[in-house]
Protein backbone atom coordinates (compact mmCIF):
# COMPACT_ATOMS: atom_id res chain seq x y z
CA UNK A 1 0.00 0.00 0.00
CA UNK A 2 2.99 2.28 0.68
CA UNK A 3 3.99 2.01 -2.98
CA UNK A 4 0.47 2.81 -4.09
CA UNK A 5 0.42 5.81 -1.74
CA UNK A 6 3.69 7.12 -3.22
CA UNK A 7 2.32 6.62 -6.73
CA UNK A 8 -0.96 8.42 -6.09
CA UNK A 9 0.30 11.19 -3.81
CA UNK A 10 1.11 13.68 -6.62
CA UNK A 11 -2.35 13.21 -8.11
CA UNK A 12 -3.97 13.79 -4.72
CA UNK A 13 -1.89 16.94 -4.16
CA UNK A 14 -2.91 18.30 -7.60
CA UNK A 15 -6.54 17.56 -6.85
CA UNK A 16 -6.43 19.34 -3.48
CA UNK A 17 -4.68 22.40 -4.93
CA UNK A 18 -7.08 22.65 -7.86
CA UNK A 19 -10.09 22.16 -5.63
CA UNK A 20 -8.88 24.94 -3.35
CA UNK A 21 -8.46 27.26 -6.38
CA UNK A 22 -11.89 26.52 -7.78
CA UNK A 23 -13.40 26.80 -4.33
CA UNK A 24 -12.10 30.37 -4.10
CA UNK A 25 -14.47 31.53 -6.82
CA UNK A 26 -17.36 33.49 -5.47
CA UNK A 27 -20.72 31.89 -5.86
CA UNK A 28 -23.18 33.27 -8.32
CA UNK A 29 -20.60 34.37 -10.83
CA UNK A 30 -21.55 33.20 -14.26
CA UNK A 31 -19.95 33.79 -17.60
CA UNK A 32 -21.89 34.97 -20.59
CA UNK A 33 -25.11 33.08 -20.87
CA UNK A 34 -24.05 30.08 -18.84
CA UNK A 35 -25.80 29.32 -15.60
CA UNK A 36 -23.70 29.69 -12.47
CA UNK A 37 -23.81 28.37 -8.98
CA UNK A 38 -26.69 29.74 -6.97
CA UNK A 39 -25.34 32.68 -5.03
CA UNK A 40 -25.81 33.39 -1.39
CA UNK A 41 -28.01 36.43 -2.01
CA UNK A 42 -26.13 39.67 -1.44
CA UNK A 43 -27.86 42.98 -0.87
CA UNK A 44 -27.70 45.33 -3.82
CA UNK A 45 -25.25 48.18 -3.25
CA UNK A 46 -26.55 51.54 -2.08
CA UNK A 47 -25.81 53.32 -5.34
CA UNK A 48 -26.93 56.64 -6.78
CA UNK A 49 -26.43 57.04 -10.52
CA UNK A 50 -26.76 60.14 -12.67
CA UNK A 51 -29.06 59.98 -15.63
CA UNK A 52 -28.06 61.58 -18.93
CA UNK A 53 -29.48 64.92 -17.79
CA UNK A 54 -27.49 64.81 -14.55
CA UNK A 55 -30.39 63.89 -12.26
CA UNK A 56 -29.93 61.42 -9.41
CA UNK A 57 -31.30 57.90 -9.91
CA UNK A 58 -31.04 55.54 -6.94
CA UNK A 59 -30.85 51.79 -7.31
CA UNK A 60 -33.18 51.51 -4.32
CA UNK A 61 -35.78 53.35 -6.38
CA UNK A 62 -36.19 50.18 -8.48
CA UNK A 63 -37.21 48.03 -5.50
CA UNK A 64 -40.35 46.10 -6.31
CA UNK A 65 -39.12 45.41 -9.84
CA UNK A 66 -37.01 42.52 -11.07
CA UNK A 67 -33.98 44.41 -12.35
CA UNK A 68 -31.22 43.59 -14.80
CA UNK A 69 -28.39 46.08 -14.29
CA UNK A 70 -26.31 46.00 -17.47
CA UNK A 71 -22.89 47.70 -17.50
CA UNK A 72 -22.02 48.58 -21.08
CA UNK A 73 -20.24 51.17 -23.22
CA UNK A 74 -20.83 52.58 -26.69
CA UNK A 75 -17.22 51.58 -27.53
CA UNK A 76 -17.80 47.96 -26.51
CA UNK A 77 -18.71 45.70 -29.43
CA UNK A 78 -19.95 42.71 -27.37
CA UNK A 79 -22.12 45.12 -25.35
CA UNK A 80 -23.71 46.36 -28.55
CA UNK A 81 -24.19 42.79 -29.70
CA UNK A 82 -26.45 41.93 -26.77
CA UNK A 83 -28.55 45.12 -26.84
CA UNK A 84 -31.22 43.55 -29.10
CA UNK A 85 -31.70 40.82 -26.47
CA UNK A 86 -32.15 43.47 -23.77
CA UNK A 87 -34.58 45.51 -25.89
CA UNK A 88 -36.60 42.36 -26.54
CA UNK A 89 -36.70 41.49 -22.82
CA UNK A 90 -37.77 45.00 -21.89
CA UNK A 91 -40.53 44.76 -24.45
CA UNK A 92 -41.71 41.36 -23.21
CA UNK A 93 -41.43 41.72 -19.45
CA UNK A 94 -41.77 45.42 -18.55
CA UNK A 95 -45.49 45.00 -17.97
CA UNK A 96 -44.74 42.13 -15.56
CA UNK A 97 -42.57 44.20 -13.25
CA UNK A 98 -39.16 43.83 -14.92
CA UNK A 99 -36.76 46.42 -16.24
CA UNK A 100 -33.30 46.58 -17.68
CA UNK A 101 -31.17 49.42 -16.32
CA UNK A 102 -28.30 50.24 -18.68
CA UNK A 103 -25.25 51.69 -16.93
CA UNK A 104 -23.07 53.41 -19.52
CA UNK A 105 -19.39 53.35 -18.63
CA UNK A 106 -18.40 56.01 -21.16
CA UNK A 107 -16.46 58.94 -19.72
CA UNK A 108 -18.96 61.41 -21.10
CA UNK A 109 -22.75 61.31 -21.39
CA UNK A 110 -22.39 63.32 -24.62
CA UNK A 111 -21.41 60.15 -26.50
CA UNK A 112 -24.22 58.14 -24.93
CA UNK A 113 -27.19 60.44 -25.47
CA UNK A 114 -27.17 60.45 -29.30
CA UNK A 115 -26.33 56.76 -29.36
CA UNK A 116 -29.40 55.67 -27.42
CA UNK A 117 -31.72 57.86 -29.44
CA UNK A 118 -30.43 57.21 -32.93
CA UNK A 119 -28.77 53.78 -33.09
CA UNK A 120 -31.15 51.22 -34.52
CA UNK A 121 -30.86 47.58 -33.50
CA UNK A 122 -32.32 44.63 -35.31
CA UNK A 123 -34.77 43.11 -32.82
CA UNK A 124 -36.46 40.07 -34.34
CA UNK A 125 -36.29 41.71 -37.75
CA UNK A 126 -37.55 45.13 -36.58
CA UNK A 127 -35.31 48.19 -36.25
CA UNK A 128 -35.55 49.51 -32.69
CA UNK A 129 -33.71 51.98 -30.46
CA UNK A 130 -32.92 51.25 -26.81
CA UNK A 131 -36.17 51.17 -24.84
CA UNK A 132 -34.93 50.95 -21.26
CA UNK A 133 -33.55 53.55 -18.85
CA UNK A 134 -29.88 54.48 -19.16
CA UNK A 135 -27.75 56.00 -16.44
CA UNK A 136 -24.06 56.84 -16.26
CA UNK A 137 -21.58 54.67 -14.40
CA UNK A 138 -18.30 55.56 -12.73
CA UNK A 139 -15.32 53.74 -11.26
CA UNK A 140 -16.85 54.21 -7.82
CA UNK A 141 -20.14 52.63 -8.89
CA UNK A 142 -18.32 49.69 -10.51
CA UNK A 143 -16.41 49.18 -7.27
CA UNK A 144 -19.65 49.16 -5.29
CA UNK A 145 -20.80 46.30 -7.52
CA UNK A 146 -17.64 44.41 -6.62
CA UNK A 147 -15.53 45.65 -9.54
CA UNK A 148 -16.06 44.82 -13.20
CA UNK A 149 -13.87 42.10 -14.69
CA UNK A 150 -15.04 42.83 -18.21
CA UNK A 151 -17.74 44.46 -20.24
CA UNK A 152 -20.59 43.78 -20.56
CA UNK A 153 -21.36 42.68 -17.03
CA UNK A 154 -24.94 42.30 -15.83
CA UNK A 155 -26.52 41.74 -12.43
CA UNK A 156 -29.97 40.26 -11.95
CA UNK A 157 -31.49 41.85 -8.84
CA UNK A 158 -34.63 40.53 -7.15
CA UNK A 159 -37.69 42.62 -6.38
CA UNK A 160 -36.51 42.92 -2.77
CA UNK A 161 -33.07 44.19 -3.73
CA UNK A 162 -30.90 41.06 -3.57
CA UNK A 163 -28.32 40.28 -6.23
CA UNK A 164 -29.39 36.95 -7.68
CA UNK A 165 -26.76 36.43 -10.32
CA UNK A 166 -23.87 38.07 -12.14
CA UNK A 167 -23.20 37.59 -15.85
CA UNK A 168 -19.78 38.46 -17.25
CA UNK A 169 -19.50 38.83 -21.01
CA UNK A 170 -22.09 39.11 -23.71
CA UNK A 171 -25.15 36.89 -23.78
CA UNK A 172 -24.57 34.72 -26.86
CA UNK A 173 -28.33 34.45 -27.18
CA UNK A 174 -31.31 35.19 -25.00
CA UNK A 175 -31.98 31.66 -23.78
CA UNK A 176 -30.38 31.64 -20.34
CA UNK A 177 -31.16 35.21 -19.32
CA UNK A 178 -34.79 34.84 -20.42
CA UNK A 179 -35.04 31.63 -18.40
CA UNK A 180 -33.53 33.35 -15.35
CA UNK A 181 -35.82 36.36 -15.64
CA UNK A 182 -38.93 34.24 -16.15
CA UNK A 183 -38.11 32.17 -13.09
CA UNK A 184 -37.95 35.29 -10.90
CA UNK A 185 -40.87 37.28 -12.28
CA UNK B 1 -2.11 -5.35 -7.47
CA UNK B 2 -5.31 -5.80 -5.47
CA UNK B 3 -8.68 -4.76 -6.84
CA UNK B 4 -8.90 -1.96 -4.25
CA UNK B 5 -5.52 -0.56 -5.26
CA UNK B 6 -6.44 -0.73 -8.92
CA UNK B 7 -9.68 1.15 -8.21
CA UNK B 8 -7.80 3.78 -6.22
CA UNK B 9 -5.30 4.13 -9.08
CA UNK B 10 -8.07 4.75 -11.62
CA UNK B 11 -9.83 7.21 -9.32
CA UNK B 12 -6.64 9.17 -8.81
CA UNK B 13 -5.90 9.29 -12.54
CA UNK B 14 -9.37 10.64 -13.32
CA UNK B 15 -9.10 13.14 -10.45
CA UNK B 16 -5.70 14.33 -11.63
CA UNK B 17 -6.96 14.95 -15.16
CA UNK B 18 -9.99 16.86 -13.79
CA UNK B 19 -7.72 18.85 -11.49
CA UNK B 20 -5.38 19.82 -14.33
CA UNK B 21 -8.34 20.94 -16.44
CA UNK B 22 -9.67 22.99 -13.54
CA UNK B 23 -6.30 24.62 -12.97
CA UNK B 24 -5.96 25.46 -16.66
CA UNK B 25 -9.35 27.15 -16.54
CA UNK B 26 -8.35 29.20 -13.52
CA UNK B 27 -5.17 30.35 -15.25
CA UNK B 28 -6.86 31.62 -18.36
CA UNK B 29 -10.14 33.10 -17.26
CA UNK B 30 -12.70 33.26 -14.53
CA UNK B 31 -16.17 32.55 -15.80
CA UNK B 32 -15.57 34.04 -19.24
CA UNK B 33 -14.11 37.23 -17.82
CA UNK B 34 -10.79 38.47 -19.14
CA UNK B 35 -8.15 37.07 -16.78
CA UNK B 36 -6.12 40.28 -16.94
CA UNK B 37 -6.73 43.90 -16.17
CA UNK B 38 -6.80 46.33 -19.10
CA UNK B 39 -3.30 47.61 -18.34
CA UNK B 40 -1.86 44.08 -18.19
CA UNK B 41 -3.02 43.02 -21.66
CA UNK B 42 -0.32 44.86 -23.59
CA UNK B 43 3.37 44.90 -22.75
CA UNK B 44 5.06 47.71 -24.70
CA UNK B 45 8.81 47.93 -25.29
CA UNK B 46 10.54 50.89 -26.95
CA UNK B 47 13.73 50.65 -29.03
CA UNK B 48 15.89 53.39 -30.55
CA UNK B 49 17.63 52.89 -33.90
CA UNK B 50 20.94 54.62 -33.15
CA UNK B 51 23.36 54.48 -30.25
CA UNK B 52 24.29 57.18 -29.53
CA UNK B 53 22.13 59.65 -31.44
CA UNK B 54 24.35 62.49 -32.69
CA UNK B 55 22.86 65.98 -32.70
CA UNK B 56 21.64 66.87 -36.16
CA UNK B 57 20.81 63.24 -37.05
CA UNK B 58 17.46 61.60 -37.71
CA UNK B 59 16.68 58.44 -35.82
CA UNK B 60 13.75 56.14 -35.23
CA UNK B 61 11.87 54.74 -32.28
CA UNK B 62 10.04 51.42 -32.56
CA UNK B 63 7.41 50.56 -29.99
CA UNK B 64 6.73 46.83 -29.94
CA UNK B 65 3.39 45.90 -28.43
CA UNK B 66 3.12 42.35 -27.11
CA UNK B 67 -0.60 41.59 -26.87
CA UNK B 68 -1.52 38.77 -24.51
CA UNK B 69 -2.71 35.56 -26.09
CA UNK B 70 -6.49 35.37 -26.40
CA UNK B 71 -6.87 39.16 -26.55
CA UNK B 72 -7.15 41.63 -29.39
CA UNK B 73 -7.21 45.40 -29.47
CA UNK B 74 -8.67 47.80 -32.00
CA UNK B 75 -6.17 48.89 -34.62
CA UNK B 76 -5.24 52.52 -35.22
CA UNK B 77 -8.01 52.61 -37.83
CA UNK B 78 -10.84 50.56 -36.31
CA UNK B 79 -13.73 49.38 -38.41
CA UNK B 80 -16.22 51.82 -36.84
CA UNK B 81 -15.94 55.35 -35.53
CA UNK B 82 -17.35 54.43 -32.11
CA UNK B 83 -14.54 51.96 -31.46
CA UNK B 84 -11.51 53.22 -29.57
CA UNK B 85 -8.39 53.32 -31.73
CA UNK B 86 -4.89 52.43 -30.61
CA UNK B 87 -2.91 55.63 -30.30
CA UNK B 88 0.60 56.48 -29.19
CA UNK B 89 1.32 59.99 -27.91
CA UNK B 90 4.95 60.96 -27.32
CA UNK B 91 6.14 63.84 -25.16
CA UNK B 92 9.27 64.95 -26.96
CA UNK B 93 12.18 66.35 -24.97
CA UNK B 94 13.49 69.79 -25.88
CA UNK B 95 15.35 69.76 -29.18
CA UNK B 96 13.82 66.49 -30.44
CA UNK B 97 11.27 66.84 -33.23
CA UNK B 98 9.00 64.46 -35.10
CA UNK B 99 9.72 63.82 -38.77
CA UNK B 100 6.36 62.87 -40.22
CA UNK B 101 3.62 60.94 -38.49
CA UNK B 102 3.74 57.82 -36.36
CA UNK B 103 3.46 54.73 -38.57
CA UNK B 104 0.94 52.20 -37.35
CA UNK B 105 0.72 48.75 -38.89
CA UNK B 106 -2.46 47.78 -40.69
CA UNK B 107 -4.82 45.74 -38.54
CA UNK B 108 -6.31 42.39 -39.46
CA UNK B 109 -10.01 41.98 -40.19
CA UNK B 110 -11.30 39.30 -37.85
CA UNK B 111 -14.71 38.03 -36.84
CA UNK B 112 -15.52 37.27 -33.22
CA UNK B 113 -18.37 35.40 -31.53
CA UNK B 114 -19.87 38.73 -30.44
CA UNK B 115 -19.57 40.15 -33.95
CA UNK B 116 -20.12 37.13 -36.21
CA UNK B 117 -21.21 39.07 -39.29
CA UNK B 118 -19.08 42.18 -39.07
CA UNK B 119 -15.29 41.76 -39.05
CA UNK B 120 -13.37 44.08 -36.77
CA UNK B 121 -10.01 45.60 -37.65
CA UNK B 122 -7.73 44.55 -34.82
CA UNK B 123 -4.20 43.92 -33.63
CA UNK B 124 -3.24 40.59 -32.11
CA UNK B 125 0.06 39.01 -31.12
CA UNK B 126 2.94 41.40 -31.64
CA UNK B 127 2.73 44.68 -33.56
CA UNK B 128 5.32 47.40 -34.02
CA UNK B 129 4.72 51.14 -34.26
CA UNK B 130 7.41 53.39 -35.71
CA UNK B 131 8.23 57.05 -35.48
CA UNK B 132 10.96 59.05 -37.14
CA UNK B 133 12.58 61.79 -35.05
CA UNK B 134 15.42 64.25 -35.30
CA UNK B 135 17.80 65.35 -32.58
CA UNK B 136 18.31 69.07 -33.04
CA UNK B 137 21.33 71.12 -32.05
CA UNK B 138 19.69 72.14 -28.79
CA UNK B 139 19.05 68.57 -27.61
CA UNK B 140 20.74 67.99 -24.27
CA UNK B 141 23.80 65.77 -24.56
CA UNK B 142 23.73 62.60 -22.49
CA UNK B 143 21.02 60.13 -21.58
CA UNK B 144 17.50 61.30 -22.14
CA UNK B 145 14.07 59.73 -22.31
CA UNK B 146 11.03 60.06 -24.51
CA UNK B 147 7.97 59.36 -22.41
CA UNK B 148 4.99 58.10 -24.41
CA UNK B 149 1.42 57.23 -23.61
CA UNK B 150 -0.25 54.29 -25.33
CA UNK B 151 -4.04 54.30 -25.38
CA UNK B 152 -5.90 51.17 -26.40
CA UNK B 153 -9.01 49.16 -25.75
CA UNK B 154 -8.78 45.38 -25.64
CA UNK B 155 -11.25 42.48 -25.63
CA UNK B 156 -11.15 38.72 -25.51
CA UNK B 157 -13.69 36.66 -27.41
CA UNK B 158 -16.35 37.17 -24.75
CA UNK B 159 -15.93 40.53 -23.07
CA UNK B 160 -14.09 43.83 -23.33
CA UNK B 161 -11.86 45.70 -20.96
CA UNK B 162 -12.22 49.45 -20.50
CA UNK B 163 -9.99 51.75 -22.52
CA UNK B 164 -6.70 52.40 -20.80
CA UNK B 165 -3.57 54.51 -21.13
CA UNK B 166 -0.25 52.97 -20.21
CA UNK B 167 3.20 54.57 -20.18
CA UNK B 168 6.11 53.49 -22.33
CA UNK B 169 9.52 55.12 -22.36
CA UNK B 170 12.28 55.18 -24.94
CA UNK B 171 15.76 55.80 -23.60
CA UNK B 172 18.51 57.25 -25.78
CA UNK B 173 21.94 58.77 -25.51
CA UNK B 174 22.50 62.02 -27.37
CA UNK B 175 26.03 62.81 -28.51
CA UNK B 176 27.69 65.82 -30.09
CA UNK B 177 27.15 66.46 -33.79
CA UNK B 178 29.36 64.23 -35.91
CA UNK B 179 29.94 61.68 -33.14
CA UNK B 180 30.30 58.06 -34.19
CA UNK B 181 27.15 56.00 -33.76
CA UNK B 182 25.98 52.55 -34.69
CA UNK B 183 22.64 51.19 -35.85
CA UNK B 184 21.01 49.05 -33.21
CA UNK B 185 18.02 46.67 -33.41
CA UNK B 186 18.23 46.69 -37.24
CA UNK B 187 15.62 43.92 -37.37
CA UNK B 188 13.02 46.42 -36.09
CA UNK B 189 13.88 49.26 -38.42
CA UNK B 190 14.85 47.69 -41.74
CA UNK B 191 11.28 47.53 -43.05
CA UNK B 192 10.34 51.07 -42.06
CA UNK B 193 13.27 52.97 -43.67
Amino acid sequence: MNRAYRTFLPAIVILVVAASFSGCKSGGTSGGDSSGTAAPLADEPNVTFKDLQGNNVTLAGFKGKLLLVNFWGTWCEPCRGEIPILIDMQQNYASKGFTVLGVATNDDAKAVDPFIHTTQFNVNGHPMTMNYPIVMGSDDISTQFGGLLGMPTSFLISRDGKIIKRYIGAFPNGDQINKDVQSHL
Amino acid sequence: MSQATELLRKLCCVSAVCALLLMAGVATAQDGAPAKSAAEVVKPHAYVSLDPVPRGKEFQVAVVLEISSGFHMNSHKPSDSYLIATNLTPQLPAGVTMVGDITYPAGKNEKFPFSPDKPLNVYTGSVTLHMKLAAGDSTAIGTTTIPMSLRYQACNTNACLPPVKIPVTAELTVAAAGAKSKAVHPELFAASK
Side-chain angles (χ1 to χ4, degrees):
Chain A
M1 203 59 182
N2 268 350
R3 194 172 147 235
Y5 181 76
R6 277 199 306 275
T7 308
F8 305 141
L9 185 63
I12 292 166
V13 169
I14 290 169
L15 179 64
V16 170
V17 171
S20 66
F21 266 103
S22 60
C24 289
K25 291 197 282 185
S26 59
T29 302
S30 56
D33 218 12
S34 65
S35 57
T37 317
L41 298 183
D43 285 331
E44 65 181 16
N46 181 17
V47 171
T48 301
F49 304 98
K50 293 280 184 196
D51 69 14
L52 299 183
Q53 289 71 46
N55 304 310
N56 287 342
V57 177
T58 64
L59 193 59
F62 290 91
K63 264 193 186 153
K65 282 182 187 285
L66 180 63
L67 182 63
L68 186 70
V69 177
N70 173 250
F71 285 85
W72 68 290
T74 59
W75 46 265
C76 165
E77 193 65 35
C79 305
R80 299 167 73 109
E82 70 176 12
I83 288 173
I85 295 170
L86 304 178
I87 293 173
D88 192 39
M89 289 173 63
Q90 184 74 10
Q91 200 168 228
N92 293 336
Y93 305 128
S95 61
K96 296 172 183 166
F98 166 84
T99 190
V100 177
L101 176 65
V103 183
T105 56
N106 291 64
D107 292 338
D108 195 344
K110 281 179 193 160
V112 180
D113 197 46
F115 178 88
I116 62 172
H117 292 114
T118 60
T119 307
Q120 302 275 336
F121 295 91
N122 181 343
V123 183
N124 304 320
H126 302 287
M128 290 185 71
T129 54
M130 294 166 88
N131 58 352
Y132 47 87
I134 303 291
V135 292
M136 294 302 294
S138 66
D139 289 348
D140 188 42
I141 287 170
S142 302
T143 304
Q144 286 182 269
F145 275 87
L148 302 182
L149 298 174
M151 221 81 75
T153 293
S154 299
F155 296 84
L156 186 60
I157 298 177
S158 67
R159 292 179 190 269
D160 61 347
K162 306 275 188 199
I163 295 177
I164 300 167
K165 202 165 173 180
R166 180 177 67 169
Y167 307 84
I168 303 171
F171 301 116
N173 57 56
D175 294 351
Q176 185 64 49
I177 184 62
N178 269 284
K179 211 162 119 184
D180 290 346
V181 166
Q182 283 166 7
S183 70
H184 289 93
L185 272 176
Chain B
M1 203 180 279
S2 74
Q3 254 187 333
T5 311
E6 177 64 12
L7 185 67
L8 183 60
R9 190 186 69 80
K10 281 181 178 166
L11 188 68
C12 282
C13 287
V14 169
S15 303
V17 169
C18 292
L20 286 169
L21 289 173
L22 267 171
M23 291 174 83
V26 168
T28 52
Q30 182 184 331
D31 300 319
K36 290 174 185 283
S37 72
E40 291 170 330
V41 169
V42 176
K43 297 279 175 233
H45 304 279
Y47 302 89
V48 178
S49 63
L50 289 179
D51 183 33
V53 177
R55 280 175 166 175
K57 271 269 196 184
E58 286 188 359
F59 64 102
Q60 292 184 69
V61 171
V63 177
V64 180
L65 310 180
E66 302 290 348
I67 303 162
S68 297
S69 172
F71 287 88
H72 63 268
M73 58 198 244
N74 295 320
S75 72
H76 180 60
K77 289 183 178 169
S79 18
D80 271 300
S81 58
Y82 59 79
L83 297 171
I84 292 172
T86 295
N87 269 307
L88 185 68
T89 309
Q91 283 179 283
L92 300 180
V96 174
T97 52
M98 289 280 289
V99 180
D101 295 326
I102 297 172
T103 307
Y104 295 85
K108 285 183 285 184
N109 285 324
E110 286 192 26
K111 288 182 181 174
F112 296 95
F114 54 76
S115 182
D117 304 321
K118 188 175 65 173
L120 304 179
N121 195 260
V122 298
Y123 295 144
T124 54
S126 176
V127 290
T128 305
L129 285 48
H130 288 95
M131 58 180 140
K132 203 176 265 185
L133 303 158
D137 291 341
S138 63
T139 311
I141 286 178
T143 302
T144 188
T145 58
I146 304 174
M148 295 169 273
S149 172
L150 177 74
R151 186 177 192 233
Y152 63 89
Q153 191 270 305
C155 302
N156 67 10
T157 54
N158 188 49
C160 287
L161 293 163
V164 67
K165 278 182 189 174
I166 59 169
V168 51
T169 303
E171 200 167 279
L172 64 150
T173 304
V174 178
K180 266 191 175 177
S181 76
K182 62 176 191 294
V184 282
H185 308 293
E187 72 284 0
L188 291 173
F189 300 102
S192 65
K193 273 180 184 170

